[in-house]
Amino acid sequence: MQHNYKKINNLLGWLCFVIATTSYILTLEPSVSFWDCGEFISCAYRLQVSHQPGYPLFAMLGKAFSLLSFGDRTRVAYCTNLMSALASGATIMFLFWTITALARKLVKAADENSHQQQLLTFGAGLVGALAFTFTDTFWFSAVETIVFAISSLCTAIVFWAILKWDAKADAPGADKWILLIAYLIGLSMGIHLLNLLTIPAIAMVYYFRRYKKISFKNGIMAFLISILILAIVQFGIRGYTVYFAAWFDFYFVNSLGMAFGSGAFVFMALLFALLIFGIWYSIKHKKPLLNLALLCTVFIYFGYSSFVYIPIRAAANTDLNNSHPDNAFTLYGYLNRVQYGETPLLSGPYFDAKIIDEKEGPAIYRKGKTQYENAGKSMAYVYDHNTFLPRMWSTESDPYYAQNVQFYKQWLQLGDGQAPTFSDNLKWLFSWQIYQMYGRYFLWNFVGRYNDADGQQSTAALNGNWTSGLFDGGKHLPKAILNDVTYTPLYALPLVLGLLGAYYHFKRKKRDALVIALLFFFTGIAIVLYVNQNSLQPRERDYSYVGSFYAFAIWIGLGVIALAEIVRLKLNSKLAAYGSFAVCMIAVPVLLASKEWRAHDRSTKLTPHDMAYNFLLSCPKNAVLFTYGDNDTYSLWYDQEVEGIRPDVRIVCMSLFSGDWYIHQMQGRMNQSAPLPVTMPFDKYKEGVRDIVYYNDAKIAGNVELKDVFDFVTSDDSRAKMTLQDGSIVNFMPTKNFKLTVNPNEVIKNGVVAAGQKDKLATEMDWKISFNYLTKDNLAMMDIIAHNNWKRPICFTTTMSESSMFGLLPYLYKEGFVYHLIPFKPELSKDAQSPKTNSLVMYGNVMNKFKYGHFKTAKYLDNVSKTQFYLNMQITFNDLSHGLIQDGRPDLALKSLHKFDDEMPDITPDIDTAAQKFFMSQTAYRLDDLKLGNQLVKSVDNYITDQLDYNYELLKQNNNLAIDVRTVQLGMQLLNGMTDSAKTSHQTELSNQLQAQLKDYENKFAVLEGR
C-alpha cells in the first residue's frame, strides 16, 4: 500500500508539473517584458552585473537557458522566459507533494479507510496545487524572465524538504534534509532574498519534531531563536561576511602594500579554517547540535558562493555593470543596497519632521589606483522630532517629498498644517501598507479583480480593486470594466475554501497549521512591516508576496478534506470524498483557469520589444540617448545588448548617471558606440567630490557660455569656490543662464539637419535652468553638451520629465519617440508653445521604421502597453500630424492619421487616452476626413458616456469617495469640445446628439460641480 501511495503521489505531482508548465508555455511572452525583465535577460545573456543586491545564480541559469536559442538572438528572451515557466511548473509539483504530505496526516487523523485516505489526500494536493497554478500573481511571473519564478521554486523545495525530514527525522541520516535546505537557502540568495523568510517556519517544524517538552514558553523561545537564525543568515552570513572581508582587505592593501583582494582571500580562508575546526571539534566531543549548525553554515556558504560572480564580472567591465562592485567595499554597499538609502523601522521621522542638522557617520572608502581611498564620511540627517515605528517617513531629503506629503494628506484626510499623530501613523500602516498594499493583492488572487490598472491611490475606486463578482450585477459597472479581459471575478470561492481548510487544519493539527501560518505571515505581513513602503510605488507590488499566497494555497487544498468531513455527516464516506473533490476542483482550479487565462495570455504581445525598438530607431546615427529608467531603459538594454539593435546608440540612464562608476563607464567604448565626450578626469567627479554643486548667484549679466560655466564648477582654483557654514570649501554654480555658440556650418557638416534647413539654424542657443544645484548627472550632461560640438546627435526619450532635460526643451524637436537637440531659431508663431517636431524626419521614422508590437491583434495587452505606451503612440501621431500641417504637408498628416488607425486598436483605457483621441479627431476634421473624425468622436463618446453613467450611479448612491471627479470633469470638457468640433465640421446630427448628452450630464452633475 505504501509503495502504491508513493507511486501515485509521484505521478500526480508530475501531472501537476505538466499541466502547469503547458499552461505557462502556451501563454508565454514571446520576447522581453516590461520592468526589470530587459535588464535580467541582458545580464544573463552576456553575464553582466544587474541592479542591487545582485542576482548571480539567476544570471547564470538564464545564460544556460539562453543557449537554447542556438544563436538566434531574437529567441533568447523566449528561452529565458521558458526558464520561468519550467521553474513555476516545478513549484506547482512541489506544492502538490507538500499538500499531500500535510493532508495525509489529516486523513489519518480522520480515521478513514486507505482508499478514501488516498483519494482525499491526492484530491487535496490536486485542488491546492492547480488552484495556485492559475492565481493572478504567480501566473504573472511564470511567463516572463523575472527572479520571482525561481525564488518561488526555492521556497517550494525547502518547505517540501523540511516535511520530508519531518517524516524521516528518527531514521539514521535524516539530517541530510536539513543540510539540503541550508544549501538551497544559500543558493536562493543568488536569486532573491524572499526564500530566507521560510526559516522561521522551518525552525518551528524542527522544534515540534525534535523536542519532547512542547509548551507555550518553549514555543516562544523556539520562535525567537528562529528569528535569530534568520537575522544571522541575512545580516551575518550575507552581509557581515563581506563587511569583515572588506576591512581585512583594507589592512592588507593599505598597511601591508599587497594587491587588492588579498585580504579578502585571507579572511575567507581563515573563516573556513575556523568552520572546519569547529566541525572537527563537534565530532570529537560528540556535540551533534553544534555539528549540525556548523555544517548548515558551511552549506549556506557553499550556496552563497555564487556571489563570487559579481566582482569577477564587474572586473571584466561589462556593458551593464551596476555600481561596478569589483572590490569588497563596493560589494558590501552593493549587497546592502546602500544607494537606495536606509528605511527607518523602529524609530524615525514623520513626514512633517524638519531637518535641523547633519551628523557624520562612518568613513566611505573607494578603490583607488594602489590603495583604498577615503571618499569622505556618510552623513545622516538629524530631525526635530522622531517617533516610534515610523510608517509615514518621507522627509525633505526625498526628491518625491512634495508628492508623498500630498498623498499622505489625501489618504489620511489631514488639513494643511495639521500635524500627523501616532494614530494617523497606525491608520496609514493598517489602511494603506497592510490593506491596500497587501490585503488588496491577496483578495485579487482569491476573491477576484476588476482590472489590472494601478489602484494604489483609492480603496473605493474600481481600478486595481478586488471584487468577488457576486454583487456586480447591481453596481451598473462600466462596459470598459465588464468587457475587459482582466475583469476576473472569482466569486470568493478560493478564499472560502482556503479559510475552511485553515480552520480545519488548526482544529485537527494545530502544530502543522501554526507552521503554515508562520510561512503565511513571514512571506506576507512581515515583508510589509520590514519594507515599510512610504508612499506610492512605481507599480503594484503583489509579486513580493507570492510566498504568502503559496502558503494559503496549501489551505485551499486542505479545504477539500474539510468539506468532505462536513458532507460525510449527510452522505456516506465514498460519496463525500468523490463529491467534495469534484466540487472543489470545478469551483476553484477550473474556475481560476477559465477566468484568468485571457488576462495572462501574452503569447501574441510584442509591445515591450517594439516600443524599445522605436526609441532606438528614432535616433540618428551614433546618437546619445538619455533615458530615465524602468520602462524607458530596461527594454532598450535588451534590444541593444541581446538582439544587437542599433549598437551605435549610446543609452544613458539618468537615474544612474549620478554614480561616478556610471559616468566612468560612459567614458569607454560600448558595443559600436564610441566613448562619450565626458572630459572630466575621474578625480573631478569620483564619490565625495562634487556630489552637489550649489547655486550661488554671482550677478553675471546675460547668458554665460556653457563651457565656461562647466570649467568654473570643475575648477580646483580656490577663486572658483565658496565656504559653507560647516567650513567646507566647495565649487558653486555662478549662474543659471547658459548659452551655447553654434557654428551652422558644423551643424550641417555633422548631419544634424539637412542642408536645406540651414537658414533655420541659430548662431546661439540661450536657455535657463530652474533648479538650485547641480548633481553629478547634470555635471556630466553639461560636459557632454559643451564638448560634443555637434559631432554626435543628443536625444532624450519623449517620456522623460521636463526637469530631466536640463532646461533644453526649447531646442528639443521630436523625431519619433525621442527629442533631438537641434539649434533651430526659437519659434515666434502663435503655435510656438506646442510640441516641436522635425516633421519630415519624424514622418520617415514613424511611417517607415516603427514597429507596433502587435498592438491591434494581441489577445492581451498589459497595463503599461494600454496606458503608458498607447498614450505615447497617440501623442506621437498627434504631434506628427500637427507638425506636418505646420510645415505645409497636410497630405502627409492625413496619411499619418490613417497609419495610426491601421496599426493601433480602438481602445480607451482612461480619460487621458480619450483626450488624445479627441485631439486626433480634431485634426481629421481639419484635414476634411469626416469619416475618420466621426469614428474617433464616437469612440470617445462611447467611453465618456460609459464612465459618466457609472459615476452618476455613484452620485445617486451618495458614494462620493468612489466618484472619479477628474474623469467626470474632463469627460464633460471633452463632450463640449466634440460638440463644437462636430458642429464646425457641419456634422449636424452628431453635434446635436453630443449637445443633448452634454446638457443631460450637466444637469445630472450640477450638484457635484457646485461642491
Side-chain angles (χ1 to χ4, degrees):
M1 186 63 67
Q2 170 65 23
H3 175 73
N4 187 48
Y5 170 86
K6 185 176 181 180
K7 183 178 180 180
I8 296 173
N9 191 46
N10 287 338
L11 287 173
L12 289 178
W14 282 101
L15 175 64
C16 288
F17 170 81
V18 170
I19 292 171
T21 304
T22 301
S23 299
Y24 300 145
I25 291 175
L26 290 174
T27 57
L28 202 67
E29 185 133 13
S31 186
V32 66
S33 307
F34 284 122
W35 301 108
D36 298 354
C37 301
E39 181 193 25
F40 285 144
I41 300 170
S42 301
C43 289
Y45 180 67
R46 300 181 70 170
L47 294 178
Q48 304 184 95
V49 181
S50 62
H51 68 270
Q52 296 87 336
Y55 310 89
L57 182 58
F58 182 83
M60 289 185 275
L61 289 171
K63 176 62 179 179
F65 272 87
S66 75
L67 298 177
L68 297 175
S69 65
F70 296 104
D72 183 354
R73 290 185 168 198
T74 63
R75 298 286 292 172
V76 168
Y78 181 86
C79 293
T80 56
N81 292 345
L82 183 64
M83 173 179 68
S84 290
L86 291 169
S88 299
T91 301
I92 299 303
M93 177 173 66
F94 281 102
L95 174 58
F96 171 85
W97 288 331
T98 296
I99 295 172
T100 55
L102 293 167
R104 200 174 186 201
K105 294 182 181 182
L106 283 177
V107 295
K108 282 182 178 179
D111 195 28
E112 292 281 357
N113 65 57
S114 60
H115 177 73
Q116 284 155 14
Q117 279 183 15
Q118 288 196 12
L119 174 64
L120 287 174
T121 299
F122 297 141
L126 287 170
V127 169
L130 294 178
F132 189 64
T133 298
F134 302 112
T135 50
D136 180 54
T137 298
F138 187 70
W139 199 340
F140 186 90
S141 297
V143 292
E144 65 180 23
T145 302
I146 199 71
V147 294
F148 300 103
I150 302 182
S151 176
S152 295
L153 176 59
C154 292
T155 297
I157 295 176
V158 298
F159 199 74
W160 166 80
I162 195 61
L163 295 181
K164 293 290 285 185
W165 172 86
D166 184 38
K168 302 179 179 182
D170 296 328
D175 284 352
K176 66 186 179 184
W177 291 102
I178 303 292
L179 297 182
L180 172 64
I181 290 169
Y183 181 58
L184 288 170
I185 285 174
L187 282 175
S188 73
M189 294 184 201
I191 296 168
H192 199 279
L193 298 180
L194 286 176
N195 188 244
L196 300 184
L197 298 172
T198 60
I199 290 175
I202 289 170
M204 293 307 291
V205 173
Y206 187 89
Y207 163 70
F208 286 135
R209 188 69 173 81
R210 274 283 159 88
Y211 285 82
K212 304 301 180 185
K213 294 182 180 180
I214 305 297
S215 66
F216 179 77
K217 180 181 177 182
N218 290 343
I220 293 296
M221 185 60 67
F223 173 71
L224 293 176
I225 291 172
S226 74
I227 301 299
L228 178 62
I229 295 170
L230 173 59
I232 289 171
V233 176
Q234 160 73 339
F235 301 109
I237 294 177
R238 194 191 71 86
Y240 278 99
T241 297
V242 179
Y243 177 80
F244 289 123
W247 283 106
F248 261 71
D249 212 45
F250 180 87
Y251 175 74
F252 274 68
V253 173
N254 284 34
S255 298
L256 302 182
M258 298 183 71
F260 288 109
S262 56
F265 177 81
V266 170
F267 171 78
M268 295 305 299
L270 290 173
L271 175 64
F272 273 91
L274 184 63
L275 287 169
I276 291 169
F277 172 78
I279 293 168
W280 171 82
Y281 176 86
S282 68
I283 295 172
K284 182 176 181 181
H285 294 276
K286 297 181 180 179
K287 297 183 179 296
L289 194 59
L290 175 62
N291 179 262
L292 181 62
L294 290 173
L295 283 172
C296 283
T297 302
V298 169
F299 274 88
I300 289 173
Y301 272 118
F302 283 163
Y304 185 45
S305 65
S306 68
F307 274 86
V308 173
Y309 163 101
I310 299 292
I312 291 174
R313 295 306 296 159
N317 294 315
T318 56
D319 287 354
L320 304 185
N321 194 353
N322 202 303
S323 296
H324 197 79
D326 65 341
N327 64 88
F329 277 103
T330 311
L331 182 61
Y332 176 73
Y334 176 84
L335 294 177
N336 289 278
R337 297 165 61 91
V338 169
Q339 93 172 55
Y340 297 107
E342 292 188 8
T343 300
L345 294 177
L346 296 179
S347 178
Y350 286 151
F351 66 83
D352 67 329
K354 303 297 180 185
I355 298 172
I356 57 175
D357 198 4
E358 286 186 279
K359 62 179 181 181
E360 290 186 347
I364 300 171
Y365 288 95
R366 60 167 171 259
K367 183 180 178 182
K369 293 181 180 178
T370 58
Q371 290 189 326
Y372 287 107
E373 300 173 347
N374 191 320
K377 294 189 175 181
S378 59
M379 303 298 295
Y381 293 113
V382 178
Y383 299 94
D384 59 0
H385 66 277
N386 288 322
T387 187
F388 171 69
L389 199 69
R391 302 288 102 181
M392 305 176 292
W393 54 272
S394 181
T395 58
E396 294 170 313
S397 59
D398 186 340
Y400 300 103
Y401 173 68
Q403 172 186 315
N404 291 348
V405 169
Q406 181 183 2
F407 184 59
Y408 290 137
K409 290 182 176 180
Q410 170 197 324
W411 189 270
L412 299 170
Q413 298 182 338
L414 298 177
D416 290 336
Q418 183 178 347
T421 64
F422 189 68
S423 176
D424 294 322
N425 189 53
L426 292 181
K427 182 180 178 183
W428 172 261
L429 166 63
F430 287 105
S431 68
W432 194 78
Q433 290 186 330
I434 292 180
Y435 171 74
Q436 192 71 357
M437 299 302 286
Y438 169 73
R440 183 169 56 97
Y441 300 148
F442 176 82
L443 295 171
W444 281 358
N445 285 273
F446 304 113
V447 175
R449 186 177 183 180
Y450 281 118
N451 60 23
D452 67 348
D454 190 293
Q456 299 179 57
Q457 299 191 44
S458 172
T459 58
L462 294 178
N463 280 343
N465 216 332
W466 64 272
T467 179
S468 67
L470 293 172
F471 308 105
D472 287 352
K475 291 181 180 178
H476 304 281
L477 294 174
K479 297 183 185 68
I481 293 286
L482 296 175
N483 296 335
D484 194 275
V485 297
T486 58
Y487 174 61
T488 51
L490 303 175
Y491 315 114
L493 292 175
L495 176 67
V496 171
L497 187 60
L499 291 176
L500 179 63
Y503 171 78
Y504 184 77
H505 204 198
F506 272 101
K507 183 179 177 182
R508 294 286 181 160
K509 286 285 183 181
K510 288 185 176 63
R511 293 177 185 176
D512 287 352
L514 180 61
V515 170
I516 304 303
L518 281 174
L519 180 64
F520 179 78
F521 174 81
F522 274 93
T523 54
I525 302 297
I527 296 175
V528 174
L529 298 174
Y530 181 75
V531 173
N532 194 12
Q533 292 169 343
N534 65 332
S535 192
L536 292 172
Q537 300 295 297
R539 60 168 168 156
E540 299 281 20
R541 300 296 195 186
D542 56 303
Y543 53 82
S544 298
Y545 310 109
V546 69
S548 182
F549 309 150
Y550 179 94
F552 191 77
I554 294 173
W555 281 329
I556 289 178
L558 300 183
V560 175
I561 301 171
L563 183 62
E565 183 152 318
I566 294 171
V567 174
R568 193 177 61 171
L569 298 176
K570 299 291 184 182
L571 302 173
N572 65 53
S573 298
K574 185 176 182 180
L575 283 175
Y578 278 100
S580 297
F581 168 64
V583 168
C584 291
M585 178 62 74
I586 294 169
V588 181
V590 173
L591 172 70
L592 277 161
S594 64
K595 292 291 185 180
E596 298 283 357
W597 190 284
R598 293 192 309 157
H600 293 86
D601 186 359
R602 304 197 211 171
S603 60
T604 55
K605 178 170 71 72
L606 282 170
T607 47
H609 175 279
D610 286 3
M611 295 308 100
Y613 178 90
N614 294 342
F615 278 122
L616 291 169
L617 268 291
S618 297
C619 294
K621 188 177 180 180
N622 297 321
V624 179
L625 176 60
F626 289 103
T627 71
Y628 193 75
D630 293 346
N631 293 323
D632 266 14
T633 305
Y634 294 149
S635 298
L636 273 77
W637 281 344
Y638 165 81
D639 277 17
Q640 190 177 77
E641 292 291 307
V642 178
E643 295 196 14
I645 298 169
R646 290 302 302 273
D648 58 301
V649 174
R650 177 61 64 94
I651 300 168
V652 183
C653 180
M654 291 299 291
S655 59
L656 301 177
F657 212 25
S658 56
D660 58 359
W661 56 272
Y662 193 65
I663 298 173
H664 187 62
Q665 286 180 16
M666 293 299 108
Q667 291 179 292
R669 186 174 182 83
M670 190 177 292
N671 298 315
Q672 295 177 19
S673 166
L676 292 188
V678 177
T679 63
M680 292 183 291
F682 185 74
D683 287 343
K684 285 187 179 288
Y685 64 82
K686 62 188 179 184
E687 186 177 12
V689 178
R690 296 181 181 88
D691 290 335
I692 295 181
V693 178
Y694 290 102
Y695 169 62
N696 185 32
D697 192 356
K699 309 297 182 184
I700 302 173
N703 292 59
V704 182
E705 193 70 40
L706 183 66
K707 184 179 183 303
D708 295 338
V709 179
F710 173 78
D711 289 342
F712 184 85
V713 298
T714 57
S715 172
D716 292 323
D717 193 317
S718 60
R719 292 172 294 180
K721 299 186 178 184
M722 66 179 184
T723 304
L724 300 180
Q725 290 181 347
D726 62 2
S728 57
I729 300 173
V730 296
N731 286 99
F732 67 94
M733 177 174 59
T735 182
K736 293 184 181 181
N737 301 304
F738 305 133
K739 71 177 181 180
L740 188 68
T741 301
V742 177
N743 182 341
N745 292 324
E746 286 294 314
V747 176
I748 297 297
K749 177 184 174 184
N750 290 315
V752 178
V753 294
Q757 295 176 297
K758 183 177 180 180
D759 60 336
K760 296 175 64 177
L761 294 172
T763 56
E764 181 180 295
M765 289 170 52
D766 297 309
W767 75 97
K768 181 179 182 178
I769 60 172
S770 59
F771 33 93
N772 293 318
Y773 56 84
L774 299 173
T775 50
K776 279 195 175 78
D777 54 335
N778 304 136
L779 204 59
M781 187 183 288
M782 284 179 69
D783 195 354
I784 292 169
I785 296 169
H787 298 100
N788 183 49
N789 297 321
W790 305 104
K791 292 179 180 177
R792 296 185 71 170
I794 293 175
C795 300
F796 298 82
T797 58
T798 54
T799 47
M800 282 181 70
S801 66
E802 186 175 339
S803 60
S804 303
M805 299 178 182
F806 202 64
L808 290 166
L809 196 59
Y811 298 97
L812 295 177
Y813 290 79
K814 278 193 172 183
E815 294 187 347
F817 268 13
V818 304
Y819 288 109
H820 183 187
L821 183 65
I822 303 176
F824 283 145
K825 296 171 185 175
E827 298 178 20
L828 302 177
S829 69
K830 63 180 180 180
D831 291 328
Q833 296 305 313
S834 63
K836 297 180 289 295
T837 62
N838 193 11
S839 64
L840 292 179
V841 173
M842 185 175 180
Y843 181 84
N845 288 336
V846 170
M847 299 292 284
N848 303 321
K849 296 180 180 179
F850 268 26
K851 292 184 177 181
Y852 294 88
H854 294 182
F855 249 115
K856 197 161 190 172
T857 57
K859 298 175 185 177
Y860 161 78
L861 291 172
D862 59 88
N863 187 50
V864 176
S865 297
K866 286 188 297 187
T867 55
Q868 182 178 337
F869 281 101
Y870 185 79
L871 180 64
N872 192 31
M873 197 68 83
Q874 286 181 304
I875 294 171
T876 298
F877 275 90
N878 275 330
D879 290 344
L880 172 59
S881 59
H882 185 79
L884 288 166
I885 292 171
Q886 277 190 314
D887 291 341
R889 295 304 306 267
D891 56 327
L892 299 183
L894 188 57
K895 285 184 179 180
S896 70
L897 292 185
H898 281 279
K899 179 72 171 178
F900 180 89
D901 189 47
D902 291 341
E903 298 286 356
M904 302 299 289
D906 182 15
I907 59 173
T908 314
D910 54 30
I911 195 65
D912 296 309
T913 53
Q916 289 298 324
K917 196 174 290 186
F918 164 61
F919 299 150
M920 195 171 288
S921 73
Q922 287 183 307
T923 307
Y925 281 144
R926 183 177 175 182
L927 296 171
D928 296 322
D929 191 332
L930 301 180
K931 181 181 176 182
L932 180 58
N934 290 341
Q935 171 191 318
L936 293 166
V937 165
K938 289 175 182 177
S939 176
V940 176
D941 181 55
N942 288 336
Y943 173 78
I944 291 174
T945 54
D946 189 32
Q947 294 295 315
L948 292 179
D949 288 343
Y950 172 68
N951 280 279
Y952 180 61
E953 290 295 330
L954 297 176
L955 185 63
K956 288 194 297 183
Q957 298 164 14
N958 291 318
N959 190 1
N960 294 336
L961 287 176
I963 294 174
D964 187 344
V965 176
R966 181 172 181 267
T967 293
V968 170
Q969 291 175 340
L970 288 179
M972 303 278 276
Q973 291 174 21
L974 287 173
L975 270 180
N976 188 49
M978 290 190 299
T979 301
D980 291 342
S981 290
K983 185 176 181 180
T984 303
S985 301
H986 308 294
Q987 303 301 294
T988 307
E989 183 180 347
L990 179 58
S991 177
N992 290 339
Q993 175 194 331
L994 295 168
Q995 180 65 45
Q997 289 176 344
L998 177 61
K999 186 175 181 180
D1000 180 42
Y1001 288 122
E1002 283 176 342
N1003 292 331
K1004 287 179 176 178
F1005 289 103
V1007 175
L1008 184 64
E1009 293 294 324
R1011 283 190 307 182

